[in-house]
Amino acid sequence: GDSVKAGQICAKIDPGPYLRRVARETKALAAARKRLEKSEARVEATTASPARDRRSATRAQATRARAEVDRRQAALSAAEAVLARTQIVMPVDGIVHSRNAEVGRPAEAPDAAPLFVLAPDSVRMKIEAAAGEIELGDTASFAVGSLPEHLFAGEVVKIHRASKAASGTREILVDAPDPRHLLADGMQAMAVVVVDRRDDVLRIPNRVIDYSSGETQGGRPEAPPAGWTRLWRLRDGEAEAATVRLGLDDGVYREVVEGDLQRGDRLIVGGAG
């Protein structure tokens, strides 16, 4: 039940045996370095010696001494790394879900039960979507069926390659805060990813786009200019045309970029009039 932070030390394994190993390796490295110094001094002393065999033997001895120093340095680094792992550090922020460690109890092998099980403060949700317009950092919101009153929000942190070539979908990872730890593995979620956004704009329901008044001029329907859409509003009980250029579409509403439509206009929805 305790709240923990990433990097917090939550347990320590008795460092005694590992400290002693580091001390032994430190002492062995120091001795190896002294032997190397003596070997290098002999090489200097025999440089001018006319005895070729003696020079070769001295250089070979120095080479072995250098190799021994390298080996002892590697052993010391390994011992120090093991010593550092005697401090159990939390990898993420979260809440301790269960604790399998007690003071004085021997630590189990790595493949045994973990010392601590954490419930992180954030979750990563894997979804499949047609990700042509989705980019890293996009905002995503989702809800799960068992928690209909909660709406979770996060951001896209990874986009994998298409997992279904035929459908063009991709696997997307969404990182979302879950400070109350309401989510669990296996929950089914419905997600929406925001690929673009407009604030303080005029919008219309998509249903009004499907309406046609059936009016014609000169016996033929008059089409709006390319890139524009004709809507119909109600004025004094009659249908009146309004031509607009539309923008973003969220599946329910469309953005009105420009046109002769005003806030508060009553638009006509439905099938053919």
Side-chain angles (χ1 to χ4, degrees), residues 204 208 211-213 215 230-243 260-270 273:
I204 60 171
V208 305
Y211 179 80
S212 172
S213 73
E215 293 185 2
R230 176 158 297 145
L231 309 176
W232 296 90
R233 58 191 167 194
L234 194 62
R235 287 283 178 88
D236 299 326
E238 299 291 335
E240 180 184 87
T243 305
D260 53 357
L261 197 65
Q262 304 296 324
R263 292 181 185 272
D265 282 348
R266 299 177 65 191
L267 300 176
I268 304 175
V269 301

Side-chain angles (χ1 to χ4, degrees), residues 66-195:
R66 291 191 194 95
E68 177 66 9
V69 168
D70 292 341
R71 190 175 70 84
R72 290 297 182 184
Q73 181 63 67
L76 175 58
S77 297
E80 290 173 338
V82 174
L83 175 62
R85 291 198 293 270
T86 60
Q87 294 186 341
I88 308 302
V89 177
M90 290 302 175
V92 296
D93 295 350
I95 290 180
V96 178
H97 183 270
S98 64
R99 187 183 82 174
N100 303 313
E102 299 294 339
V103 175
R105 196 186 79 178
E108 301 293 341
D111 57 349
L115 298 180
F116 297 92
V117 177
L118 295 183
D121 283 342
S122 63
V123 296
R124 282 201 169 182
M125 183 183 67
K126 186 184 298 183
I127 62 176
E128 283 193 353
E133 298 181 355
I134 298 178
E135 298 179 352
L136 295 179
D138 282 348
T139 300
S141 59
F142 61 93
V144 296
S146 58
L147 300 167
E149 72 281 8
H150 291 278
L151 184 65
F152 300 89
E155 69 175 41
V156 176
V157 295
K158 193 169 186 179
I159 301 176
H160 293 288
R161 293 182 178 179
S163 57
K164 296 180 180 178
S167 64
T169 61
R170 295 187 181 182
E171 191 175 84
I172 300 167
L173 288 182
V174 175
D175 200 348
D178 181 26
R180 297 175 60 187
H181 306 96
L182 300 174
L183 300 174
D185 289 342
M187 285 184 170
Q188 297 295 317
M190 178 64 71
V192 174
V193 179
V194 179
V195 298

